[in-house]
Amino acid sequence: MDDAQPGLAGFLGTDRPRVRWFHAASDLRDFMITTFRVSPERLARHLPAGYVPEVVELAGGPAALVSAVAFRDESFHFRGLPRVAITCGQVNYRAYVRRDGVRGAWFLGTAFDHPTVVLPRRLWGMPWRRERIDLTATWDDGRASWALRTDEATCRASEAAAVPAGLDGFATERDWQALLTHPTVGWYRRGRAGRVGTYSIWHPPMAARHFVAAEARFPFLERLGLVQPGQEPHSLLGQELLPFDIHTPPRRVRGPVIATP
């Protein structure tokens, strides 16, 4: 297991699974997790039976959480194939859920700025779509800045002047690190048939920096009825570079078909 990084309050992440030839890898640059409070009942409408929202006790009452996770893929590639690497922007929209006691992320959708978006959509039924994504960030100044613009989403943020004492709804730094930055199992609606797919990832623990949003609009989440226009984020957690293993290919999960909300 990886050694704890400074400021992670003892959060050690998870053991790295054996790297296989059919796994993918990428360095995620200008990585940002923008999280919003949402109604557990509204989120539950987008989940199949057996998947339940992770509910946290916030200052304003119990809530579920969803995130827009934006980054630039650098040299995304499959380990067993010739080194044909992809570099492009990506935004994952995920919710934090449990299935049979296992905590993970439910992927509501993904925006991907590359023609190869058709491959995960057709091969594995993943809810990906093509979208132009522009990411800019500075990390070397005393206070970092970060900005995202896609065909429809806009988010601008600067690093907090001081590290907050904690995040609303979490007793310790270790708690929010585990939930918000380190879900290693993911599920998604697999194609129009509504079945469920699953895959896993690994990355070292984040050395997350705290940001404050000047603007944060994600119409995809608004159309799902989860986030209101102009809603203030619960938190923004960023890091300049984060290496990722993606344990492809995704697998099908036996279970009920997901009803369309």
Side-chain angles (χ1 to χ4, degrees):
M1 183 171 290
D2 296 291
D3 293 334
Q5 298 179 35
L8 295 188
F11 182 74
L12 298 176
T14 54
D15 291 322
R16 186 181 191 181
R18 178 186 173 190
V19 174
R20 308 296 296 273
W21 68 267
F22 48 81
H23 290 169
S26 184
D27 287 333
L28 310 189
R29 186 170 293 278
D30 300 333
F31 187 87
M32 185 69 71
I33 306 171
T34 304
T35 300
F36 295 90
R37 308 164 180 82
V38 302
S39 160
E41 293 75 22
R42 287 181 178 271
L43 176 57
R45 297 172 191 170
H46 297 277
L47 304 176
Y51 296 78
V52 296
E54 185 83 14
V55 178
V56 295
E57 292 291 336
L58 302 181
L65 298 171
V66 299
S67 298
V69 184
F71 50 88
R72 183 181 297 103
D73 278 301
E74 287 199 344
S75 298
F76 178 95
H77 63 283
F78 291 94
R79 295 184 180 277
L81 296 177
R83 188 71 176 221
V84 179
I86 295 171
T87 296
C88 67
Q90 183 170 335
V91 184
N92 293 330
Y93 296 97
R94 71 189 188 193
Y96 305 95
V97 303
R98 286 181 184 261
R99 177 181 185 263
D100 297 332
V102 176
R103 176 187 280 174
W106 179 267
F107 285 89
L108 299 158
T110 290
F112 192 67
D113 192 5
H114 197 275
T116 55
V117 68
V118 299
L119 297 179
R121 192 167 62 215
R122 292 180 180 177
L123 289 177
W124 303 319
M126 303 181 84
W128 285 33
R129 68 185 189 280
R130 180 79 185 271
E131 193 169 339
R132 290 174 296 181
I133 299 171
D134 181 41
L135 266 172
T136 58
T138 60
W139 299 93
D140 296 333
D141 298 337
R143 291 177 63 185
S145 63
W146 183 91
L148 166 74
R149 184 175 294 277
T150 77
D151 286 339
E152 60 176 23
T154 303
C155 188
R156 296 180 294 110
S158 57
E159 190 169 7
V163 176
L167 290 186
D168 186 16
F170 297 93
T172 68
E173 183 178 10
R174 183 174 187 149
D175 292 336
W176 62 254
Q177 281 276 356
L179 180 67
L180 297 179
T181 75
H182 212 79
T184 58
V185 178
W187 301 278
Y188 63 94
R189 175 175 175 155
R190 187 180 175 115
R192 295 181 179 179
R195 298 294 181 180
V196 176
T198 184
Y199 66 99
S200 62
I201 59 93
W202 176 88
H203 63 80
M206 275 186 70
R209 295 164 71 168
H210 297 265
F211 285 71
V212 177
E215 181 181 14
R217 284 292 307 275
F218 294 94
F220 177 83
L221 296 175
E222 296 169 11
R223 289 195 297 273
L224 295 179
L226 298 174
V227 173
Q228 298 299 314
Q231 180 176 330
E232 181 181 354
H234 165 272
S235 57
L236 289 94
L237 303 168
Q239 184 164 322
E240 182 176 5
L241 188 68
L242 191 63
F244 251 66
D245 293 340
I246 305 98
H247 306 137
T248 50
R251 298 176 291 105
R252 295 185 182 186
V253 176
R254 293 183 179 182
V257 175
I258 308 168
T260 302

PDB file of all heavy atoms in Angstrom, residues 42-70:
ATOM      1  N   ARG A  42     -34.313  12.310  -5.491  1.00  0.00           N
ATOM      2  CA  ARG A  42     -34.153  12.599  -6.916  1.00  0.00           C
ATOM      3  C   ARG A  42     -33.059  11.733  -7.532  1.00  0.00           C
ATOM      4  O   ARG A  42     -33.193  11.237  -8.647  1.00  0.00           O
ATOM      5  CB  ARG A  42     -33.848  14.079  -7.123  1.00  0.00           C
ATOM      6  CG  ARG A  42     -35.039  14.995  -6.906  1.00  0.00           C
ATOM      7  CD  ARG A  42     -34.669  16.449  -7.156  1.00  0.00           C
ATOM      8  NE  ARG A  42     -35.813  17.319  -6.990  1.00  0.00           N
ATOM      9  CZ  ARG A  42     -36.661  17.646  -7.955  1.00  0.00           C
ATOM     10  NH1 ARG A  42     -36.469  17.153  -9.164  1.00  0.00           N
ATOM     11  NH2 ARG A  42     -37.666  18.451  -7.720  1.00  0.00           N
ATOM     12  N   LEU A  43     -31.961  11.559  -6.816  1.00  0.00           N
ATOM     13  CA  LEU A  43     -30.888  10.722  -7.338  1.00  0.00           C
ATOM     14  C   LEU A  43     -31.345   9.278  -7.471  1.00  0.00           C
ATOM     15  O   LEU A  43     -31.017   8.601  -8.457  1.00  0.00           O
ATOM     16  CB  LEU A  43     -29.664  10.804  -6.426  1.00  0.00           C
ATOM     17  CG  LEU A  43     -28.494   9.895  -6.795  1.00  0.00           C
ATOM     18  CD1 LEU A  43     -28.015  10.151  -8.223  1.00  0.00           C
ATOM     19  CD2 LEU A  43     -27.348  10.069  -5.807  1.00  0.00           C
ATOM     20  N   ALA A  44     -32.118   8.798  -6.503  1.00  0.00           N
ATOM     21  CA  ALA A  44     -32.558   7.402  -6.520  1.00  0.00           C
ATOM     22  C   ALA A  44     -33.364   7.072  -7.774  1.00  0.00           C
ATOM     23  O   ALA A  44     -33.374   5.918  -8.227  1.00  0.00           O
ATOM     24  CB  ALA A  44     -33.383   7.101  -5.266  1.00  0.00           C
ATOM     25  N   ARG A  45     -34.014   8.069  -8.372  1.00  0.00           N
ATOM     26  CA  ARG A  45     -34.792   7.837  -9.590  1.00  0.00           C
ATOM     27  C   ARG A  45     -33.913   7.431 -10.766  1.00  0.00           C
ATOM     28  O   ARG A  45     -34.398   6.835 -11.734  1.00  0.00           O
ATOM     29  CB  ARG A  45     -35.573   9.097  -9.960  1.00  0.00           C
ATOM     30  CG  ARG A  45     -36.615   9.511  -8.926  1.00  0.00           C
ATOM     31  CD  ARG A  45     -37.185  10.876  -9.301  1.00  0.00           C
ATOM     32  NE  ARG A  45     -37.991  11.422  -8.212  1.00  0.00           N
ATOM     33  CZ  ARG A  45     -38.446  12.668  -8.168  1.00  0.00           C
ATOM     34  NH1 ARG A  45     -38.163  13.489  -9.191  1.00  0.00           N
ATOM     35  NH2 ARG A  45     -39.158  13.084  -7.153  1.00  0.00           N
ATOM     36  N   HIS A  46     -32.637   7.742 -10.700  1.00  0.00           N
ATOM     37  CA  HIS A  46     -31.718   7.423 -11.788  1.00  0.00           C
ATOM     38  C   HIS A  46     -30.945   6.131 -11.537  1.00  0.00           C
ATOM     39  O   HIS A  46     -30.062   5.783 -12.328  1.00  0.00           O
ATOM     40  CB  HIS A  46     -30.724   8.576 -11.974  1.00  0.00           C
ATOM     41  CG  HIS A  46     -31.377   9.863 -12.383  1.00  0.00           C
ATOM     42  ND1 HIS A  46     -31.694  10.149 -13.687  1.00  0.00           N
ATOM     43  CD2 HIS A  46     -31.784  10.926 -11.644  1.00  0.00           C
ATOM     44  CE1 HIS A  46     -32.255  11.346 -13.751  1.00  0.00           C
ATOM     45  NE2 HIS A  46     -32.315  11.841 -12.532  1.00  0.00           N
ATOM     46  N   LEU A  47     -31.266   5.422 -10.454  1.00  0.00           N
ATOM     47  CA  LEU A  47     -30.529   4.219 -10.081  1.00  0.00           C
ATOM     48  C   LEU A  47     -31.417   2.993 -10.202  1.00  0.00           C
ATOM     49  O   LEU A  47     -32.620   3.055  -9.944  1.00  0.00           O
ATOM     50  CB  LEU A  47     -30.028   4.337  -8.639  1.00  0.00           C
ATOM     51  CG  LEU A  47     -29.163   5.557  -8.303  1.00  0.00           C
ATOM     52  CD1 LEU A  47     -28.844   5.554  -6.808  1.00  0.00           C
ATOM     53  CD2 LEU A  47     -27.884   5.561  -9.128  1.00  0.00           C
ATOM     54  N   PRO A  48     -30.848   1.844 -10.556  1.00  0.00           N
ATOM     55  CA  PRO A  48     -31.627   0.604 -10.577  1.00  0.00           C
ATOM     56  C   PRO A  48     -31.812   0.059  -9.162  1.00  0.00           C
ATOM     57  O   PRO A  48     -31.160   0.512  -8.210  1.00  0.00           O
ATOM     58  CB  PRO A  48     -30.752  -0.329 -11.411  1.00  0.00           C
ATOM     59  CG  PRO A  48     -29.363   0.154 -11.154  1.00  0.00           C
ATOM     60  CD  PRO A  48     -29.466   1.652 -10.981  1.00  0.00           C
ATOM     61  N   ALA A  49     -32.671  -0.935  -9.044  1.00  0.00           N
ATOM     62  CA  ALA A  49     -32.891  -1.585  -7.751  1.00  0.00           C
ATOM     63  C   ALA A  49     -31.569  -2.139  -7.233  1.00  0.00           C
ATOM     64  O   ALA A  49     -30.760  -2.686  -7.983  1.00  0.00           O
ATOM     65  CB  ALA A  49     -33.911  -2.704  -7.904  1.00  0.00           C
ATOM     66  N   GLY A  50     -31.348  -1.981  -5.931  1.00  0.00           N
ATOM     67  CA  GLY A  50     -30.132  -2.485  -5.303  1.00  0.00           C
ATOM     68  C   GLY A  50     -29.029  -1.467  -5.184  1.00  0.00           C
ATOM     69  O   GLY A  50     -28.033  -1.719  -4.499  1.00  0.00           O
ATOM     70  N   TYR A  51     -29.184  -0.304  -5.841  1.00  0.00           N
ATOM     71  CA  TYR A  51     -28.199   0.777  -5.751  1.00  0.00           C
ATOM     72  C   TYR A  51     -28.840   1.927  -4.981  1.00  0.00           C
ATOM     73  O   TYR A  51     -29.918   2.401  -5.348  1.00  0.00           O
ATOM     74  CB  TYR A  51     -27.781   1.255  -7.142  1.00  0.00           C
ATOM     75  CG  TYR A  51     -27.064   0.202  -7.949  1.00  0.00           C
ATOM     76  CD1 TYR A  51     -27.772  -0.820  -8.576  1.00  0.00           C
ATOM     77  CD2 TYR A  51     -25.679   0.221  -8.080  1.00  0.00           C
ATOM     78  CE1 TYR A  51     -27.122  -1.794  -9.323  1.00  0.00           C
ATOM     79  CE2 TYR A  51     -25.024  -0.750  -8.827  1.00  0.00           C
ATOM     80  CZ  TYR A  51     -25.751  -1.758  -9.438  1.00  0.00           C
ATOM     81  OH  TYR A  51     -25.106  -2.721 -10.161  1.00  0.00           O
ATOM     82  N   VAL A  52     -28.179   2.360  -3.924  1.00  0.00           N
ATOM     83  CA  VAL A  52     -28.765   3.398  -3.072  1.00  0.00           C
ATOM     84  C   VAL A  52     -27.783   4.555  -2.929  1.00  0.00           C
ATOM     85  O   VAL A  52     -26.564   4.355  -2.873  1.00  0.00           O
ATOM     86  CB  VAL A  52     -29.127   2.850  -1.674  1.00  0.00           C
ATOM     87  CG1 VAL A  52     -30.205   1.784  -1.781  1.00  0.00           C
ATOM     88  CG2 VAL A  52     -27.899   2.284  -0.968  1.00  0.00           C
ATOM     89  N   PRO A  53     -28.289   5.791  -2.886  1.00  0.00           N
ATOM     90  CA  PRO A  53     -27.402   6.933  -2.705  1.00  0.00           C
ATOM     91  C   PRO A  53     -26.683   6.884  -1.369  1.00  0.00           C
ATOM     92  O   PRO A  53     -27.246   6.464  -0.349  1.00  0.00           O
ATOM     93  CB  PRO A  53     -28.355   8.139  -2.764  1.00  0.00           C
ATOM     94  CG  PRO A  53     -29.572   7.640  -3.472  1.00  0.00           C
ATOM     95  CD  PRO A  53     -29.699   6.201  -3.075  1.00  0.00           C
ATOM     96  N   GLU A  54     -25.438   7.303  -1.367  1.00  0.00           N
ATOM     97  CA  GLU A  54     -24.691   7.509  -0.124  1.00  0.00           C
ATOM     98  C   GLU A  54     -25.175   8.841   0.455  1.00  0.00           C
ATOM     99  O   GLU A  54     -25.052   9.882  -0.189  1.00  0.00           O
ATOM    100  CB  GLU A  54     -23.201   7.569  -0.417  1.00  0.00           C
ATOM    101  CG  GLU A  54     -22.332   7.669   0.811  1.00  0.00           C
ATOM    102  CD  GLU A  54     -22.072   6.313   1.443  1.00  0.00           C
ATOM    103  OE1 GLU A  54     -22.329   5.288   0.795  1.00  0.00           O
ATOM    104  OE2 GLU A  54     -21.596   6.299   2.588  1.00  0.00           O
ATOM    105  N   VAL A  55     -25.741   8.807   1.634  1.00  0.00           N
ATOM    106  CA  VAL A  55     -26.330  10.002   2.241  1.00  0.00           C
ATOM    107  C   VAL A  55     -25.414  10.519   3.347  1.00  0.00           C
ATOM    108  O   VAL A  55     -24.941   9.742   4.186  1.00  0.00           O
ATOM    109  CB  VAL A  55     -27.729   9.705   2.800  1.00  0.00           C
ATOM    110  CG1 VAL A  55     -28.315  10.944   3.485  1.00  0.00           C
ATOM    111  CG2 VAL A  55     -28.660   9.245   1.676  1.00  0.00           C
ATOM    112  N   VAL A  56     -25.136  11.818   3.307  1.00  0.00           N
ATOM    113  CA  VAL A  56     -24.312  12.448   4.337  1.00  0.00           C
ATOM    114  C   VAL A  56     -25.152  13.500   5.055  1.00  0.00           C
ATOM    115  O   VAL A  56     -26.068  14.090   4.478  1.00  0.00           O
ATOM    116  CB  VAL A  56     -23.038  13.090   3.739  1.00  0.00           C
ATOM    117  CG1 VAL A  56     -22.137  12.031   3.147  1.00  0.00           C
ATOM    118  CG2 VAL A  56     -23.390  14.112   2.673  1.00  0.00           C
ATOM    119  N   GLU A  57     -24.828  13.719   6.313  1.00  0.00           N
ATOM    120  CA  GLU A  57     -25.561  14.690   7.128  1.00  0.00           C
ATOM    121  C   GLU A  57     -24.894  16.050   6.999  1.00  0.00           C
ATOM    122  O   GLU A  57     -23.881  16.321   7.647  1.00  0.00           O
ATOM    123  CB  GLU A  57     -25.599  14.236   8.587  1.00  0.00           C
ATOM    124  CG  GLU A  57     -26.440  12.992   8.820  1.00  0.00           C
ATOM    125  CD  GLU A  57     -27.938  13.258   8.609  1.00  0.00           C
ATOM    126  OE1 GLU A  57     -28.364  14.424   8.744  1.00  0.00           O
ATOM    127  OE2 GLU A  57     -28.664  12.296   8.302  1.00  0.00           O
ATOM    128  N   LEU A  58     -25.446  16.893   6.146  1.00  0.00           N
ATOM    129  CA  LEU A  58     -24.911  18.227   5.944  1.00  0.00           C
ATOM    130  C   LEU A  58     -25.560  19.216   6.909  1.00  0.00           C
ATOM    131  O   LEU A  58     -26.538  18.891   7.584  1.00  0.00           O
ATOM    132  CB  LEU A  58     -25.150  18.674   4.503  1.00  0.00           C
ATOM    133  CG  LEU A  58     -24.564  17.774   3.407  1.00  0.00           C
ATOM    134  CD1 LEU A  58     -24.857  18.346   2.033  1.00  0.00           C
ATOM    135  CD2 LEU A  58     -23.074  17.588   3.593  1.00  0.00           C
ATOM    136  N   ALA A  59     -25.007  20.412   6.964  1.00  0.00           N
ATOM    137  CA  ALA A  59     -25.549  21.428   7.859  1.00  0.00           C
ATOM    138  C   ALA A  59     -27.012  21.724   7.548  1.00  0.00           C
ATOM    139  O   ALA A  59     -27.802  22.028   8.445  1.00  0.00           O
ATOM    140  CB  ALA A  59     -24.721  22.705   7.767  1.00  0.00           C
ATOM    141  N   GLY A  60     -27.392  21.629   6.268  1.00  0.00           N
ATOM    142  CA  GLY A  60     -28.768  21.894   5.879  1.00  0.00           C
ATOM    143  C   GLY A  60     -29.657  20.673   5.876  1.00  0.00           C
ATOM    144  O   GLY A  60     -30.802  20.750   5.428  1.00  0.00           O
ATOM    145  N   GLY A  61     -29.168  19.536   6.360  1.00  0.00           N
ATOM    146  CA  GLY A  61     -29.948  18.314   6.381  1.00  0.00           C
ATOM    147  C   GLY A  61     -29.302  17.224   5.549  1.00  0.00           C
ATOM    148  O   GLY A  61     -28.303  17.452   4.854  1.00  0.00           O
ATOM    149  N   PRO A  62     -29.858  16.025   5.574  1.00  0.00           N
ATOM    150  CA  PRO A  62     -29.254  14.906   4.835  1.00  0.00           C
ATOM    151  C   PRO A  62     -29.319  15.139   3.330  1.00  0.00           C
ATOM    152  O   PRO A  62     -30.285  15.689   2.800  1.00  0.00           O
ATOM    153  CB  PRO A  62     -30.115  13.708   5.253  1.00  0.00           C
ATOM    154  CG  PRO A  62     -31.402  14.299   5.732  1.00  0.00           C
ATOM    155  CD  PRO A  62     -31.059  15.629   6.323  1.00  0.00           C
ATOM    156  N   ALA A  63     -28.279  14.714   2.626  1.00  0.00           N
ATOM    157  CA  ALA A  63     -28.207  14.907   1.178  1.00  0.00           C
ATOM    158  C   ALA A  63     -27.322  13.842   0.564  1.00  0.00           C
ATOM    159  O   ALA A  63     -26.465  13.243   1.232  1.00  0.00           O
ATOM    160  CB  ALA A  63     -27.669  16.293   0.841  1.00  0.00           C
ATOM    161  N   ALA A  64     -27.552  13.601  -0.718  1.00  0.00           N
ATOM    162  CA  ALA A  64     -26.621  12.812  -1.523  1.00  0.00           C
ATOM    163  C   ALA A  64     -25.677  13.782  -2.226  1.00  0.00           C
ATOM    164  O   ALA A  64     -25.874  14.999  -2.180  1.00  0.00           O
ATOM    165  CB  ALA A  64     -27.393  11.959  -2.522  1.00  0.00           C
ATOM    166  N   LEU A  65     -24.653  13.243  -2.870  1.00  0.00           N
ATOM    167  CA  LEU A  65     -23.658  14.078  -3.531  1.00  0.00           C
ATOM    168  C   LEU A  65     -23.408  13.574  -4.952  1.00  0.00           C
ATOM    169  O   LEU A  65     -23.359  12.364  -5.190  1.00  0.00           O
ATOM    170  CB  LEU A  65     -22.339  14.067  -2.756  1.00  0.00           C
ATOM    171  CG  LEU A  65     -22.386  14.618  -1.323  1.00  0.00           C
ATOM    172  CD1 LEU A  65     -21.064  14.339  -0.612  1.00  0.00           C
ATOM    173  CD2 LEU A  65     -22.675  16.112  -1.325  1.00  0.00           C
ATOM    174  N   VAL A  66     -23.274  14.528  -5.886  1.00  0.00           N
ATOM    175  CA  VAL A  66     -22.866  14.210  -7.251  1.00  0.00           C
ATOM    176  C   VAL A  66     -21.711  15.127  -7.616  1.00  0.00           C
ATOM    177  O   VAL A  66     -21.586  16.229  -7.071  1.00  0.00           O
ATOM    178  CB  VAL A  66     -24.020  14.368  -8.268  1.00  0.00           C
ATOM    179  CG1 VAL A  66     -25.160  13.432  -7.938  1.00  0.00           C
ATOM    180  CG2 VAL A  66     -24.498  15.813  -8.331  1.00  0.00           C
ATOM    181  N   SER A  67     -20.880  14.680  -8.535  1.00  0.00           N
ATOM    182  CA  SER A  67     -19.703  15.462  -8.925  1.00  0.00           C
ATOM    183  C   SER A  67     -19.550  15.511 -10.434  1.00  0.00           C
ATOM    184  O   SER A  67     -19.868  14.545 -11.140  1.00  0.00           O
ATOM    185  CB  SER A  67     -18.419  14.859  -8.335  1.00  0.00           C
ATOM    186  OG  SER A  67     -18.422  14.870  -6.931  1.00  0.00           O
ATOM    187  N   ALA A  68     -19.040  16.640 -10.904  1.00  0.00           N
ATOM    188  CA  ALA A  68     -18.508  16.756 -12.258  1.00  0.00           C
ATOM    189  C   ALA A  68     -16.993  16.663 -12.121  1.00  0.00           C
ATOM    190  O   ALA A  68     -16.371  17.508 -11.472  1.00  0.00           O
ATOM    191  CB  ALA A  68     -18.923  18.077 -12.895  1.00  0.00           C
ATOM    192  N   VAL A  69     -16.401  15.620 -12.680  1.00  0.00           N
ATOM    193  CA  VAL A  69     -14.960  15.379 -12.547  1.00  0.00           C
ATOM    194  C   VAL A  69     -14.319  15.664 -13.896  1.00  0.00           C
ATOM    195  O   VAL A  69     -14.492  14.909 -14.851  1.00  0.00           O
ATOM    196  CB  VAL A  69     -14.683  13.931 -12.103  1.00  0.00           C
ATOM    197  CG1 VAL A  69     -13.186  13.730 -11.874  1.00  0.00           C
ATOM    198  CG2 VAL A  69     -15.475  13.597 -10.843  1.00  0.00           C
ATOM    199  N   ALA A  70     -13.597  16.776 -13.961  1.00  0.00           N
ATOM    200  CA  ALA A  70     -13.027  17.232 -15.234  1.00  0.00           C
ATOM    201  C   ALA A  70     -11.509  17.121 -15.207  1.00  0.00           C
ATOM    202  O   ALA A  70     -10.876  17.375 -14.175  1.00  0.00           O
ATOM    203  CB  ALA A  70     -13.453  18.672 -15.510  1.00  0.00           C
TER     204      ALA A  70
END
